[in-house]
Amino acid sequence: MLKSKLIILAWLLLLVPTLLLGVGALRLLESEEARLLDSRRTSAADRVTAIAGNIDLAIAEVQDGLQDILRQLPQQQLADQLHRWKQENPLVRNVFIWQQGRGLLLPDPQHPASDEEAAFVRRFQPLFADQSSWQPPQTDRQVTTTPASSILAERRELRLLAQRAPEPAPQEQQADSAVSSSESARKTAPSPVSGSSHWRSWYADDQLHLLGWFVPDGNSQRYGIEVEMMALLSRLLGNLPLQIDGEESFALLDGKEQIFHQVGNFEILPDRQPLARVALQNLPHWQVAAYADPATAGAASGIMLFGSLLIGTFIIAILLGGSLLLWQAWRNQRDASQKTSFVSNVSHELKTPLTTIRMYAELLGEGRINDQQKQQRYLQTIIKESQRLTRLVNNVLDFNRLEQGRRRYQQDRLELKQLLTELLESQQPRLREAEIELELDLPPESCPLQSDRDALEQIILNLLDNGIKYAAAGKKLQLQLRCGQAQLRLRLRDWGPGIPNAHKQRVFEKFHRVDNSLTTRQQGSGLGLSIARQLAEGLGGQLDYCPIEGNGCCFELLLPLGGEK
Ligand code: ADP
């Protein structure tokens, strides 16, 4: 009991750390995967931020350019100038002039020149009717603190700095000689009107529109343009990387998060989630996003799967190996204790008949027993006990030979009916003494076979021995022989207390003895049935427990008539 508890404890000591190790390794694998994904996201976010910065800068440049032109438009014939500009510049979709108090002056809201103009007036109606503030709502102008916006601000500042021309010195202004070509160009260009420039993004018909206008100082007029978005967007696409070496694709997403344009080595499917995305400052609700290649994402989960399988295999291998070692240790320890009890059992079994033989031999030797009948009885006892010794020694010798695989089988020509009759005849005194009646059930025909006589006798004697030792209470033994064409069947049945179900197969294991009072009362080494079965198998047959109705137990020996295999 204590030993089995120790085994369970040892197994738990093996199981718990192994499982902890496995769980730890899996956690490590998971965190490593999350870390990889994180660093991938960060680097994708960096790339997307740079692209978004480029696009924002490009839009800012377009906006600044358009505002420059607006600023420089001569105030006389403003409507004509705007019209011409619209016809010449693909970026200009519509132009307008609006005046505080009078509303829209151009295009004429009552008589628009085209459908496009009518749609334009309708689109910006709230603005032109002064129902909506010209100042963009705070959120529109709000600069979020994304990296893209800071890059944008820095680059814009740098560009303005680079474009800043030197202020002409007062004396230079007076001098009309030595005029550089750029200055002459500046002189020929209309002088810019001072005022303020504005941009406003506008959502209508589910689309983004950009409206830019200029308000000259001290003037109630404001005039400006609506940007042709398609012309602007198609020119922005060049800011997306052309050549992509990595495992990512990039996309420009519109206000409805639909892919407007994509670049990369694989196609982005509409339902894919991006690795990183950054909003464009100058195109509200539009974003740039980076997507991971589904093939490499599969590879990452493949690595996770492979890692988990590897860890699982390690755990199973450790547990199996450990369990095997523990099982082996448990078996060795059981064998050792069985061998110890075997040695003490055998010594005891040897000692009892030897003591009896010596005692009766001494009595006879002293010549003090004159009674003839007594002398006969003593001699019978000496013969019986020496036979018991022989059986025991034979068993031990057989066990040794069988264990070492040294048991050789003879091919004797036997007549089984005759062999049984002779053998049982020699056992009659024992049966009589145990008050057991032996019922012999032999077939009428003879039963010849080729087999090893000693092995066969040993099997039958071991079975008979057990019948006498453990089933004497049943008062009856039955030996039944049936000879078929190819094999014979020998059954020995008793009406004793029988063998508990849990032990019916285990009694054939070496050293196994049923742990009950019946067994402890009798001497034995736990070898008889194990040897009998091994011998039966050595003869090419088999020995088994056969099910019966009622009390007792029954053993069945099946043997081929031809002899050894
Ligand atoms: P041994 O008789 O030396 O103990 P065996 O291998 O012959 O060893 O038998 C193993 C065990 O099987 C016995 O210890 C006994 O408990 C049980 N056994 C064998 N034959 C019988 C039987 N006929 N009736 C009841 N128990 C039996």
Side-chain angles (χ1 to χ4, degrees):
M1 197 60 193
L2 188 74
K3 273 161 193 159
S4 58
K5 269 189 186 157
L6 263 177
I7 297 276
I8 291 173
L9 191 75
W11 202 77
L12 281 178
L13 278 178
L14 178 78
L15 180 78
V16 174
T18 311
L19 285 184
L20 285 179
L21 205 79
V23 170
L26 273 179
R27 283 270 160 84
L28 212 70
L29 204 69
E30 269 172 15
S31 71
E32 188 57 19
E33 195 197 36
R35 199 186 60 76
L36 276 178
L37 193 69
D38 247 25
S39 73
R40 216 169 151 195
R41 283 217 169 99
T42 317
S43 64
D46 286 348
R47 281 193 283 278
V48 170
T49 305
I51 297 170
N54 270 342
I55 294 178
D56 271 332
L57 196 68
I59 299 171
E61 276 170 357
V62 170
Q63 287 179 335
D64 289 353
L66 291 171
Q67 285 290 359
D68 278 351
I69 294 175
L70 271 182
R71 197 186 290 264
Q72 287 171 8
L73 283 180
Q75 297 297 301
Q76 310 82 21
Q77 299 148 355
L78 188 60
D80 282 350
Q81 297 283 342
L82 283 169
H83 261 307
R84 252 214 328 280
W85 190 26
K86 172 182 155 184
Q87 274 154 12
E88 285 166 8
N89 195 327
L91 280 172
V92 181
R93 184 173 178 185
N94 284 297
V95 291
F96 72 93
I97 303 174
W98 183 87
Q99 194 169 22
Q100 186 82 48
R102 291 176 64 194
L104 196 61
L105 306 177
L106 176 86
D108 184 355
Q110 306 308 323
H111 308 99
S114 61
D115 288 351
E116 172 56 40
E117 274 192 7
F120 170 65
V121 172
R122 208 174 40 250
R123 208 160 35 240
F124 292 96
Q125 177 61 27
L127 210 60
F128 296 144
D130 234 358
Q131 290 160 357
S132 172
S133 164
W134 281 81
Q135 280 311 312
Q138 201 55 38
T139 45
D140 253 15
R141 271 280 173 234
Q142 219 173 23
V143 177
T144 52
T145 50
T146 56
S149 64
S150 65
I151 291 175
L152 180 62
E154 275 171 28
R155 289 177 67 170
R156 200 172 195 167
E157 193 187 318
L158 203 64
R159 186 172 51 84
L160 288 176
L161 207 66
Q163 280 177 348
R164 202 159 75 198
E167 290 295 325
Q171 59 269 44
E172 277 176 42
Q173 279 177 345
Q174 283 151 17
D176 49 4
S177 60
V179 177
S180 72
S181 58
S182 65
E183 279 170 337
S184 76
R186 202 191 296 169
K187 274 193 177 166
T188 50
S191 55
V193 182
S194 62
S196 57
S197 303
H198 302 270
W199 281 101
R200 172 88 200 253
S201 57
W202 189 259
Y203 250 100
D205 316 326
D206 248 357
Q207 275 176 358
L208 178 70
H209 304 273
L210 272 183
L211 199 72
W213 67 93
F214 181 70
V215 187
D217 284 344
N219 198 330
S220 58
Q221 251 187 15
R222 44 190 75 177
Y223 51 90
I225 57 161
E226 184 197 13
V227 174
E228 175 57 67
M229 289 306 284
M230 273 307 152
L232 174 68
L233 288 168
S234 60
R235 281 161 182 77
L236 290 180
L237 299 182
N239 287 288
L240 288 169
L242 287 177
Q243 202 108 60
I244 295 168
D245 303 328
E247 297 150 344
E248 283 153 10
S249 279
F250 298 93
L252 185 63
L253 305 180
D254 65 14
K256 285 175 270 169
E257 302 211 345
Q258 305 288 317
I259 295 173
F260 177 77
H261 182 75
Q262 57 171 285
V263 288
N265 298 326
F266 60 92
E267 198 196 342
I268 305 164
L269 299 175
D271 56 340
R272 273 201 78 77
Q273 282 301 311
L275 260 184
R277 55 166 109 192
V278 169
L280 290 172
Q281 293 302 304
N282 290 333
L283 273 188
H285 305 294
W286 281 58
Q287 303 171 66
V288 181
Y291 293 81
D293 189 349
T296 57
S301 67
I303 289 174
M304 180 72 186
L305 189 77
F306 181 69
S308 311
L309 273 179
L310 213 67
I311 292 170
T313 315
F314 271 130
I315 291 178
I316 291 173
I318 292 175
L319 284 181
L320 272 184
S323 306
L324 213 71
L325 282 177
L326 281 176
W327 180 69
Q328 190 62 38
W330 173 75
R331 270 183 57 133
N332 288 348
Q333 181 254 319
R334 190 195 62 176
D335 282 2
S337 77
Q338 279 179 337
K339 271 178 190 152
T340 317
S341 78
F342 163 73
V343 171
S344 80
N345 279 346
V346 169
S347 321
H348 197 258
E349 274 203 75
L350 286 173
K351 202 176 150 197
T352 320
L354 275 176
T355 318
T356 318
I357 290 170
R358 210 183 81 194
M359 190 179 78
Y360 286 117
E362 277 174 4
L363 279 175
L364 289 172
E366 282 166 10
R368 281 195 279 144
I369 310 292
N370 298 324
D371 184 349
Q372 278 260 312
Q373 270 191 346
K374 256 191 181 174
Q375 280 182 356
Q376 273 303 312
R377 224 180 44 242
Y378 287 178
L379 278 172
Q380 283 299 327
T381 309
I382 290 174
I383 293 169
K384 192 185 78 188
E385 290 300 298
S386 55
Q387 278 174 345
R388 185 168 141 196
L389 267 181
T390 313
R391 284 198 306 277
L392 182 70
V393 171
N394 276 348
N395 261 345
V396 174
L397 285 178
D398 265 337
F399 173 69
N400 243 345
R401 281 194 218 112
L402 285 167
E403 281 290 286
Q404 293 166 7
R406 284 191 298 113
R407 179 71 163 89
R408 297 279 167 266
Y409 297 91
Q410 307 294 324
Q411 290 290 306
D412 305 323
R413 284 187 167 279
L414 303 173
E415 210 299 301
L416 195 58
K417 268 169 68 177
Q418 192 190 341
L419 182 141
L420 276 179
T421 323
E422 283 170 18
L423 189 69
L424 294 176
E425 195 53 49
S426 71
Q427 298 303 311
Q428 275 309 326
R430 292 178 70 203
L431 289 165
R432 259 199 310 275
E433 193 186 333
E435 296 175 353
I436 294 175
E437 179 204 336
L438 177 70
E439 185 187 316
L440 251 182
D441 179 1
L442 301 179
E445 73 277 7
S446 68
C447 198
L449 85 156
Q450 269 204 318
S451 197
D452 185 307
R453 184 186 189 100
D454 289 344
L456 208 52
E457 279 186 0
Q458 191 76 24
I459 297 170
I460 299 164
L461 276 179
N462 283 358
L463 294 179
L464 204 66
D465 232 26
N466 284 347
I468 297 171
K469 273 201 296 191
Y470 305 112
K475 301 280 176 213
K476 192 174 149 191
L477 284 178
Q478 185 189 53
L479 189 74
Q480 186 192 61
L481 174 67
R482 290 290 176 267
C483 293
Q485 291 291 316
Q487 70 171 9
L488 64 86
R489 192 188 74 197
L490 191 74
R491 276 184 178 170
L492 183 71
R493 188 198 162 161
D494 66 54
W495 278 262
I499 299 177
N501 275 341
H503 293 268
K504 276 181 181 152
Q505 283 309 315
R506 298 200 59 199
V507 288
F508 293 101
E509 291 171 15
K510 60 185 178 188
F511 307 126
H512 185 82
R513 304 194 79 209
V514 180
D515 192 11
N516 58 15
S517 59
L518 171 75
T519 307
T520 33
R521 273 203 308 274
Q522 297 294 337
Q523 287 178 4
S525 52
L527 284 181
L529 287 176
S530 150
I531 290 174
R533 176 175 265 187
Q534 288 190 64
L535 288 174
E537 284 168 359
L539 293 176
Q542 64 189 65
L543 176 69
D544 224 324
Y545 186 88
C546 56
I548 42 155
E549 303 242 324
N551 289 344
C553 55
C554 169
F555 292 95
E556 180 180 77
L557 171 70
L558 295 174
L559 275 185
L561 290 178
E564 193 185 358
K565 265 194 284 192

